[in-house]
Amino acid sequence: QVQLVESGGGLVEAGASLRLACTISGFTSSRDVTGWFRQAPGKEREFLARIVWSGGRTYYADAVKDRFTISKDSAKNAAYLQMNSLKPEDTAVYYCAQGDVYSDHRVRSYRNWGQGTQVTVSS
C-alpha cells in the first residue's frame, strides 16, 4: 500500500517562498509519477506539476510554471515542490499524489493521495 505524507506548509507573507515535501512509502515502480495539486475553498482540485521517477521529466500547469519547481530525491523516496514569489491566491491545501505512466493533469488519473498540507499566503 502506497502512502504519501505532505509537509512544509504554513503561513507566509506575499512574495515569500516555501518548499513542500511529499514522503512516499511503499513505492512500487520507477515508472510511477508523482503529482502536486492544490484545492482552495470552494474550488476544484487543481493540477500544478508532475514528475516521472524514471528520467525525472517534469510537467507544469501554465499558471505556476514560472514560480514553482517540482523535484525528487530517489534515495529518500520523496518529491518536492519549491514555490517562489507566493501570492495570496496561492492559498490552498496542497496535495501530492502517486500515479503511473498514464497519469497527467487529471485528478482521476492518480491512484494514491496524501492528506494535504495547508499553505496560507497573507497580503
Side-chain angles (χ1 to χ4, degrees):
Q1 180 70 23
V2 176
Q3 293 185 325
L4 300 95
V5 178
E6 303 93 340
S7 61
L11 172 62
V12 297
E13 293 184 349
S17 298
L18 276 177
R19 187 191 192 210
L20 305 182
C22 174
T23 303
I24 306 164
S25 61
F27 188 71
T28 58
S29 170
S30 63
R31 291 165 56 85
D32 279 3
V33 167
T34 297
W36 282 99
F37 292 75
R38 68 185 178 190
Q39 188 165 18
K43 295 187 177 181
E44 294 186 350
R45 196 163 295 190
E46 174 189 16
F47 168 77
L48 300 174
R50 71 183 190 271
I51 187 165
V52 182
W53 282 81
S54 177
R57 188 166 184 176
T58 58
Y59 303 83
Y60 294 92
D62 288 342
V64 301
K65 64 181 180 181
D66 294 329
R67 298 187 295 124
F68 292 7
T69 302
I70 190 171
S71 62
K72 62 177 178 68
D73 185 331
S74 299
K76 296 182 179 179
N77 271 4
Y80 305 95
L81 186 68
Q82 176 68 42
M83 306 186 295
N84 298 327
S85 302
L86 284 163
K87 306 173 183 179
E89 51 263 44
D90 293 318
T91 295
V93 178
Y94 284 69
Y95 299 90
C96 62
Q98 195 74 351
D100 57 26
V101 66
Y102 301 106
S103 299
D104 50 24
H105 62 281
R106 298 169 298 169
V107 170
R108 65 178 183 270
S109 67
Y110 292 80
R111 60 181 183 270
N112 299 102
W113 291 82
Q115 293 300 306
T117 185
Q118 176 70 45
V119 172
T120 303
V121 184
S122 63
S123 57

